[in-house]
Amino acid sequence: IFLCSPCDTNGKVHAAILYTARYLGIDEVYKVGGAQAIAAMCFGTISIPKADKIFGPGNTYVTKAKELALQAGIAIDLPAGPSEVLIIADHTADPDFVAADLLAQAEHGADSQVVLLTNEPRLSEAVNKAIERQLPALDRKKIIQQALVHSISVVCDSLEECIAFSNAYAPEHLIVATNDATMLLDKVTNAGSVFVGHYSPESAGDYASGTNHTLPTNGYAKSYSGVSVDSFVKKISFQEISPEGLNQLGPTIETMAEAEGLAAHKHAVRIRLNKLSYEQ
Amino acid sequence: IFLCSPCDTNGKVHAAILYTARYLGIDEVYKVGGAQAIAAMCFGTISIPKADKIFGPGNTYVTKAKELALQAGIAIDLPAGPSEVLIIADHTADPDFVAADLLAQAEHGADSQVVLLTNEPRLSEAVNKAIERQLPALDRKKIIQQALVHSISVVCDSLEECIAFSNAYAPEHLIVATNDATMLLDKVTNAGSVFVGHYSPESAGDYASGTNHTLPTNGYAKSYSGVSVDSFVKKISFQEISPEGLNQLGPTIETMAEAEGLAAHKHAVRIRLNKLSYEQ
């Protein structure tokens, strides 16, 4: 297991990243990031080894490079691209909290998308006003403004309609900002990670709640799970059949091989069964 | 869950396939196979729905089509292409059994590859003779002969060297035809499915031993597992944080957000903590 991470302008990798790598027992760190890091891990270079599988989120360029790596025969965790959040909020939601969560997701990059769904028209208006109030104080307001240009707010007839919209959108992050979310949660079929109630900001998932935050974006939550311990596990199946076992299983194998028209598959069993009956 | 399967010349899907579909509760079957079936499931047609994930092995064209589907945003099980077997055999192996297993794999298609590794030069010769003896009686001998053209037999210095070769090759199917295989098996790092001992033909794995036989080919066993129940599972993470919980986790989230330079992430926590302290 080795790590690629970009440097700051002084040519240093961030101390928090190096500390974490050391803590995890990763002692091979290369000072490179972006699409060029993916290319190096995909094909190998004089100094960077070729990887079997590449993990980690990134911007549009990194995601595209990982897609090309996949075509070149290297496995990837999942196509995790520009970040997105979808919030379903009802009349119990605090417009300030909803606005803050939308702004937090929008600061990831100009290509981020944030979506608000609500069954309460007044909430939609109150959130817009809260965004205007909160935005000026934020460091990355230019990025946020760019992201907000292609972000949307939709007033639906019911919370059920919000969930149906969300399942079709398949958001990376879904925040359900309602008082009694349990019944709604049963209907969530497509989402990366779900944040329930008014005190579960998405930034908790990024940093502290313990769920993984490398998640499927761009509709991929319809087909992909987020990164988990499973993503690092490779399974090999082993089977050992005894002579007695083959005597029992053999006829099944022969019938099935014959049904598929694969005589040599049947023969590989028959030649063993013949020898066993000759030895008896 | 729906099924695509090619027809025979009478326009019928094989009865065994239809029986199995019914048995599994799959009542949607389309009469189409090959790359065109993959294209239909990837984009959807008037009669065939668009799928979220496509499962199933196939020839070179199907594998290529699945790779293109992956680029178009549809998940696939794994890149399972032309079949292959690698056999590691020592002096205890029966040349007839080894030959039969090589022939069984070779009948899958002209693009199949079969590999024999042994530390016993005489076994290699005996297997070649057994292949010549067994081949004439097999139905698909033309296909087998084409596959054998690009197949190889290698005499190594030791069984350990055989395993090292096998791990570099990462075979779809690995047969370890030795008397005491246990010590060797611990060293297997890259393989799809492993068949242990003299009475475990690969055809048992295809039809009866219970292991899945949709497996990674072409070196992909370095990075991919075979299909398993996990392949059909999608995981969504849920998190709900109470006001007390956010009071405890909040400072950690704020520190981490600040370290990453994401002020709006910190703000989404701070605005909640402020309201909580105001309410108290």
Side-chain angles (χ1 to χ4, degrees):
Chain A
I1 299 179
F2 65 93
L3 181 72
C4 290
S5 183
C7 302
D8 62 19
T9 47
N10 299 318
K12 302 283 183 193
V13 171
H14 196 293
I17 291 172
L18 292 177
Y19 171 83
T20 309
R22 166 72 57 90
Y23 183 76
L24 295 172
I26 299 167
D27 51 15
E28 218 176 314
V29 179
Y30 299 94
K31 291 180 176 179
V32 57
Q36 56 276 21
I38 306 298
M41 291 186 273
C42 175
F43 300 109
T45 71
I46 292 172
S47 50
I48 299 175
K50 180 181 157 92
D52 290 330
K53 190 167 182 177
I54 300 172
F55 291 82
N59 62 14
T60 310
Y61 301 100
V62 166
T63 300
K64 189 67 193 173
K66 283 171 69 184
E67 187 186 311
L68 295 172
L70 193 63
Q71 287 172 49
I74 308 299
I76 64 169
D77 48 354
L78 56 95
S83 208
E84 68 210 14
V85 73
L86 185 149
I87 303 181
I88 296 176
D90 69 3
H91 65 283
T92 69
D94 185 317
D96 279 332
F97 296 179
V98 173
D101 291 340
L102 293 170
L103 292 165
Q105 198 60 36
E107 82 173 332
H108 272 297
D111 52 6
S112 294
Q113 189 181 44
V114 302
V115 176
L116 171 62
L117 307 181
T118 180
N119 59 347
E120 175 54 66
R122 279 169 302 180
L123 182 82
S124 177
E125 288 160 32
V127 169
N128 283 342
K129 282 179 192 152
I131 287 175
E132 281 171 33
R133 268 199 314 275
Q134 292 176 28
L135 182 60
L138 296 171
D139 297 345
R140 293 159 73 93
K141 51 180 163 290
K142 281 201 179 147
I143 290 171
I144 293 173
Q145 280 166 327
Q146 290 171 299
L148 290 180
V149 168
H150 47 83
S151 293
I152 55 168
S153 171
V154 181
V155 179
C156 299
D157 287 336
S158 66
L159 288 175
E160 284 67 28
E161 198 177 294
C162 294
I163 289 282
F165 185 121
S166 174
N167 284 334
Y169 187 94
E172 180 192 14
H173 304 103
L174 168 62
I175 299 178
V176 183
T178 64
N179 258 359
D180 183 15
T182 315
M183 213 186 61
L184 286 177
L185 297 183
D186 286 343
K187 295 184 179 142
V188 174
T189 55
N190 299 324
S193 197
V194 184
F195 299 80
V196 183
H198 304 304
Y199 289 91
S200 307
E202 186 276 323
S203 49
D206 286 356
Y207 297 125
S209 67
T211 54
N212 201 291
H213 87 292
T214 301
L215 297 165
T217 60
N218 200 26
Y220 283 105
K222 287 178 189 168
S223 328
Y224 290 88
S225 308
V227 167
S228 71
V229 173
D230 279 347
S231 316
F232 295 87
V233 172
K234 195 183 68 183
K235 284 159 283 189
I236 302 175
S237 56
F238 292 82
Q239 58 236 282
E240 179 167 12
I241 305 176
S242 63
E244 301 74 40
L246 196 63
N247 260 325
Q248 293 207 8
L249 274 184
T252 302
I253 304 169
E254 291 184 278
T255 303
M256 295 285 286
E258 205 163 308
E260 207 178 344
L262 295 176
H265 279 60
K266 182 180 171 180
H267 168 71
V269 173
R270 179 46 43 202
I271 200 168
R272 285 170 165 93
L273 294 184
N274 286 347
K275 184 153 295 195
L276 285 173
S277 74
Y278 178 80
E279 282 170 359
Q280 274 166 0
Chain B
I1 298 178
F2 65 94
L3 182 72
C4 290
S5 182
C7 301
D8 61 20
T9 46
N10 300 317
K12 302 282 184 193
V13 171
H14 196 293
I17 291 172
L18 292 177
Y19 171 82
T20 309
R22 167 72 58 89
Y23 183 76
L24 294 172
I26 299 167
D27 51 16
E28 219 176 314
V29 179
Y30 300 94
K31 290 181 175 179
V32 57
Q36 56 274 24
I38 305 299
M41 292 186 274
C42 175
F43 300 109
T45 70
I46 293 172
S47 50
I48 300 175
K50 179 180 157 94
D52 289 330
K53 190 168 183 178
I54 300 172
F55 290 83
N59 62 15
T60 310
Y61 301 100
V62 167
T63 302
K64 190 66 194 174
K66 283 171 67 185
E67 187 186 310
L68 295 172
L70 192 63
Q71 287 172 50
I74 308 299
I76 63 169
D77 48 355
L78 55 95
S83 207
E84 68 209 15
V85 71
L86 186 149
I87 303 181
I88 296 176
D90 68 3
H91 65 284
T92 68
D94 184 317
D96 280 332
F97 297 178
V98 173
D101 290 340
L102 293 170
L103 291 166
Q105 198 59 36
E107 82 172 332
H108 272 296
D111 52 4
S112 293
Q113 188 180 45
V114 302
V115 176
L116 170 63
L117 307 180
T118 179
N119 60 347
E120 174 55 65
R122 278 170 302 181
L123 182 81
S124 176
E125 289 160 31
V127 168
N128 283 342
K129 282 179 190 151
I131 287 175
E132 283 171 32
R133 268 200 315 275
Q134 292 176 28
L135 182 60
L138 296 172
D139 297 344
R140 293 161 72 94
K141 52 181 162 289
K142 281 202 175 142
I143 289 171
I144 294 173
Q145 279 167 327
Q146 289 170 301
L148 289 179
V149 167
H150 47 82
S151 293
I152 54 168
S153 170
V154 181
V155 178
C156 298
D157 286 337
S158 66
L159 289 175
E160 284 67 28
E161 199 177 294
C162 294
I163 289 282
F165 185 121
S166 174
N167 283 334
Y169 186 95
E172 180 191 14
H173 304 103
L174 168 61
I175 299 178
V176 183
T178 64
N179 258 0
D180 184 15
T182 314
M183 212 185 63
L184 285 177
L185 297 183
D186 285 344
K187 294 181 180 144
V188 173
T189 54
N190 299 324
S193 195
V194 184
F195 299 80
V196 184
H198 304 303
Y199 289 91
S200 307
E202 186 275 324
S203 49
D206 285 356
Y207 296 124
S209 67
T211 54
N212 201 291
H213 88 292
T214 301
L215 298 165
T217 60
N218 200 25
Y220 282 105
K222 287 178 188 165
S223 328
Y224 290 89
S225 309
V227 167
S228 72
V229 173
D230 279 347
S231 314
F232 295 87
V233 173
K234 194 182 69 183
K235 283 159 284 189
I236 302 175
S237 56
F238 292 83
Q239 57 236 283
E240 179 167 13
I241 304 175
S242 62
E244 302 74 40
L246 195 64
N247 260 324
Q248 292 207 8
L249 275 184
T252 302
I253 304 169
E254 292 185 278
T255 303
M256 295 286 285
E258 203 164 309
E260 207 178 344
L262 295 177
H265 279 61
K266 182 178 171 181
H267 167 71
V269 173
R270 179 46 44 201
I271 199 168
R272 285 171 165 92
L273 294 183
N274 286 347
K275 184 153 296 194
L276 285 173
S277 74
Y278 178 80
E279 283 171 0
Q280 273 164 0

